[in-house]
Amino acid sequence: MEKFRELGIIEPILISIKEEGFKKPTEIQEKSIPLILAGKDVIACSATGSGKTLAFASAIIKNAEKGRGIGSLVLTPTRELAEQVAKTLEMFSKHKPLEIAAVYGGLSINPQITRLRSADVVVGTPGRILDHMNRGTLNLQNVKILVLDEADRMLDMGFIDDVRKIIRECPMKRQTLLFSATITPEVAHLISKHIKNPIEVSAESYVNPEKLPQVYYDSQDNLKFSLLVHLLKHEKTELVMVFCNTRRNTDFVAKNLKFAGIDAMAIHGGFSQEKRNFVMGRFHSKSAHVLVCTDVAARGLDIPGISHIYNYDIPKDSKEYIHRIGRTARAGKEGKVINIVASRDYENFSRVLHDDNLKISKETTPLVERVVVKLAESPRGFHRRFGGISRGFNREPMGNRNRETGRFNKGYGQSGRSFGGTNRGDNRGYGRTTNRFPNGERFGRQGRSGGFKRDGGGYSRDSGGNRRVGERNRGNSNRQFRGTGGRPSRYGRSRRFGGR
Ligand code: AMP
């Protein structure tokens, strides 16, 4: 406790820290709290999980004067992070009670208006904060501390104009604290415009790779889901997060895990706020053990007890990868990261591996029992993609149905070729794969039997970095099932990846 006291943290917070059982400050706390408490503007480079909330909470709670208007404003990129930061602030201010209002979209505005009238601290997402400002229900004239949490994420998500408007509404004489995992050019620009002479501190990523074994399994395309089920059933875990790159895949995986008898729940940006809160509640209370999610939905979440992170889809680069793995091995607890790599992940995976700090070792892929997927009610695009039969859908293709994905192989009966094998790139060059990870190790099956090849031909990219094939055919999705004889259609994957 002495170490926390030496940083200048006030007594009521120290009591909460003791109650939480924290033994010593984290690196970012050690480096930033003395500066923050001295009233400096601080730029802190640190990821979620580094203990950054306590760093800014120490000043917010110390300076708060009850009943004197909104003294501090914290901007967060997501609703979940806003909720989480508000809860953490409540926890640290238990012995100096404050009115903390969490303000974000997706929930009814009236209760928020009522709370804002008596709030000492406001935590919220830029869109809803701006909404309140425009309605005249949020007065920022007394703000003394402005915190921009996960600034890189906030700007990545397109909030720059909103953030600027909000900053301009705060008094010039204030303390500004900016937390960001990376200082991107956009973040640097924001800093140069709105923060005067800040002091920069940074902490190593809190994810300690020694504490966090990271492995990958090279999977046949059409056994990916089966391998996931196998691993989930055989690895001993606490809570598990399974990451997918798209909402559609998230739904697909969660639904079929449930069918396979695994207590999984999905969360993504397409859900209403009530539903997101409900899912998070189930996961927090451990009544569901597997959370299948997109990056956006999981951003900044701090859920104790996550032991395993699965990348069912490999993220587009190492930055996103580090954000994902930061969900486990938090505050010194051990975890494990499992990557399931099939041919459609090769490009992303080689980008992830370009980060020298990441050590991901190869595991022998076990023999797995094929899991037949079932699909529940699904949106139109979902049916099209997975070959579901719905009203108005009567273009049954020729060929075999891939039992895992439900897609049709159009005359390509051999498994191993079918998943995503309907684009130009995958159909060329059977027989030789020359993929190598940066360390020189080869990946993918070699030789004729594997039948897949990483190839840049015939696709472009969506915002998530996913391959989108058949872009040319956008707007005429029916064509994807037009008979192509024994030749695979190159249109098969159009519209395959939805938004996050
Ligand atoms: P944050 O980066 O603020 O989201 O914090 C991540 C997690 O670390 C939270 O669960 C905190 O309760 C926990 N935490 C924060 N500071 C410490 C500390 N000094 N020692 C142990 N755990 C901490």
Side-chain angles (χ1 to χ4, degrees):
M1 205 43 51
E2 269 321 293
K3 285 229 166 359
F4 286 103
R5 188 170 279 113
E6 282 165 18
L7 300 178
I9 295 175
I10 57 169
E11 207 58 38
I13 305 178
L14 289 175
I15 301 170
S16 299
I17 290 175
K18 195 168 178 194
E19 286 167 354
E20 283 300 302
F22 297 172
K23 298 280 178 288
K24 60 180 175 52
T26 63
E27 189 183 351
I28 199 70
Q29 289 166 359
E30 219 155 25
K31 287 181 172 169
S32 67
I33 290 177
L35 297 167
I36 291 174
L37 290 179
K40 309 278 186 217
D41 283 357
V42 174
I43 310 297
C45 299
S46 64
T48 302
S50 56
K52 63 191 166 62
T53 316
L54 174 60
F56 60 78
S58 64
I60 290 179
I61 298 167
K62 183 180 176 189
N63 294 324
E65 293 174 298
K66 232 179 143 15
R68 295 268 182 105
I70 297 160
S72 300
L73 172 67
V74 183
L75 292 185
T76 66
T78 64
R79 300 158 180 189
E80 279 79 11
L81 186 58
E83 192 61 39
Q84 183 180 301
V85 167
K87 286 212 172 93
T88 308
L89 282 167
E90 259 159 31
M91 184 265 285
F92 285 126
S93 64
K94 206 163 107 196
H95 303 282
K96 182 184 173 184
L98 298 172
E99 280 293 320
I100 297 159
V103 170
Y104 48 83
L107 286 179
S108 160
I109 202 153
N110 289 329
Q112 293 181 356
I113 294 175
T114 312
R115 290 215 71 180
L116 282 175
R117 286 196 194 115
S118 55
D120 305 306
V121 180
V122 173
V123 186
T125 50
R128 188 49 78 92
I129 296 275
L130 204 59
D131 193 355
H132 280 290
M133 276 164 47
N134 294 337
R135 286 163 185 261
T137 49
L138 175 60
N139 180 354
L140 299 179
Q141 291 316 303
N142 294 316
V143 168
K144 292 180 189 64
I145 301 177
L146 170 66
V147 179
L148 305 173
D149 198 7
E150 301 213 354
D152 50 350
R153 296 281 152 203
M154 207 136 57
L155 303 193
D156 267 3
M157 289 168 76
F159 285 130
I160 181 68
D161 290 338
D162 292 358
V163 170
R164 284 224 177 97
K165 281 183 198 150
I166 295 165
I167 294 177
R168 280 198 286 265
E169 198 68 17
C170 294
M172 293 286 277
K173 196 172 170 313
R174 60 164 196 266
Q175 181 180 19
T176 309
L177 308 173
L178 182 143
F179 291 80
S180 197
T182 48
I183 303 296
T184 58
E186 293 77 24
V187 173
H189 187 69
L190 184 79
I191 293 169
S192 70
K193 287 267 177 236
H194 298 283
I195 309 179
K196 278 182 240 117
N197 304 321
I199 303 175
E200 202 171 310
V201 292
S202 68
E204 290 290 299
S205 165
Y206 200 69
V207 177
N208 180 351
E210 280 169 30
K211 284 222 166 82
L212 186 59
Q214 297 164 56
V215 301
Y216 77 91
Y217 291 91
D218 206 350
S219 167
Q220 227 172 285
D221 286 312
N222 63 346
L223 284 177
K224 229 180 160 189
F225 182 76
S226 306
L227 179 59
L228 175 68
V229 171
H230 177 95
L231 295 171
L232 284 173
K233 286 189 171 169
H234 289 81
E235 284 263 342
K236 204 170 151 358
T237 61
E238 288 181 52
L239 297 180
V240 174
M241 288 175 97
V242 177
F243 279 90
C244 296
N245 288 355
T246 64
R247 293 176 185 179
R248 220 172 258 175
N249 255 11
T250 306
D251 284 331
F252 166 77
V253 170
K255 278 180 187 161
N256 286 295
L257 283 178
K258 265 189 256 173
F259 289 135
I262 292 168
D263 56 348
M265 293 193 86
I267 188 166
H268 60 62
F271 288 0
S272 69
Q273 192 56 43
E274 277 81 5
K275 189 162 178 195
R276 284 161 79 158
N277 290 349
F278 171 74
V279 172
M280 290 317 297
R282 297 261 336 256
F283 197 57
H284 271 288
S285 66
K286 301 197 169 127
S287 40
H289 284 84
V290 178
L291 185 70
V292 188
C293 55
T294 55
D295 296 279
V296 169
R299 216 150 263 175
L301 291 184
D302 175 39
I303 307 160
I306 293 172
S307 63
H308 285 55
I309 299 289
Y310 281 81
N311 286 320
Y312 182 78
D313 292 325
I314 304 300
K316 66 179 190 297
D317 54 30
S318 60
K319 201 172 115 193
E320 201 74 34
Y321 181 89
I322 288 165
H323 269 281
R324 286 187 185 182
I325 69 173
R327 305 291 88 115
T328 186
R330 315 285 302 270
K333 294 199 179 69
E334 296 200 8
K336 185 173 182 182
V337 179
I338 297 178
N339 297 285
I340 301 183
V341 183
S343 67
R344 66 184 161 108
D345 301 298
Y346 284 178
E347 286 219 6
N348 285 359
F349 197 48
S350 18
R351 261 197 304 273
V352 167
L353 288 173
H354 267 101
D355 189 325
D356 292 336
N357 294 321
L358 294 170
K359 302 273 173 290
I360 310 176
S361 54
K362 183 172 182 172
E363 287 278 319
T364 311
T365 307
L367 279 177
V368 300
E369 193 181 330
R370 190 187 290 273
V371 178
V372 180
V373 298
K374 298 185 212 171
L375 286 177
E377 196 72 6
S378 33
R380 270 174 67 234
F382 199 55
H383 272 286
R384 275 205 297 271
R385 182 183 159 197
F386 293 106
I389 310 297
S390 62
R391 213 149 56 86
F393 179 89
N394 54 8
R395 291 169 191 270
E396 278 228 40
M398 305 285 288
N400 299 330
R401 185 195 275 257
N402 175 320
R403 280 203 288 160
E404 179 173 12
T405 62
R407 291 179 76 218
F408 289 90
N409 296 332
K410 309 211 173 168
Y412 265 60
Q414 281 152 285
S415 61
R417 281 186 187 176
S418 53
F419 192 103
T422 51
N423 70 72
R424 275 199 300 175
D426 284 356
N427 294 332
R428 282 197 237 140
Y430 283 143
R432 222 167 300 128
T433 51
T434 51
N435 303 307
R436 280 181 192 276
F437 293 133
N439 62 6
E441 189 187 340
R442 279 166 179 248
F443 59 85
R445 262 157 286 276
Q446 311 296 311
R448 198 171 174 80
S449 58
F452 53 79
K453 176 178 183 265
R454 187 158 61 107
D455 192 311
Y459 61 79
S460 60
R461 231 157 245 300
D462 70 3
S463 58
N466 297 304
R467 291 201 289 184
R468 289 178 73 126
V469 182
E471 285 289 308
R472 264 180 283 168
N473 195 35
R474 257 199 302 186
N476 187 2
S477 48
N478 282 340
R479 257 207 254 165
Q480 73 170 309
F481 288 122
R482 282 207 174 132
T484 51
R487 200 165 54 84
S489 158
R490 72 174 79 133
Y491 301 119
R493 289 175 64 177
S494 65
R495 296 195 171 187
R496 200 169 147 174
F497 297 103
R500 284 181 175 199

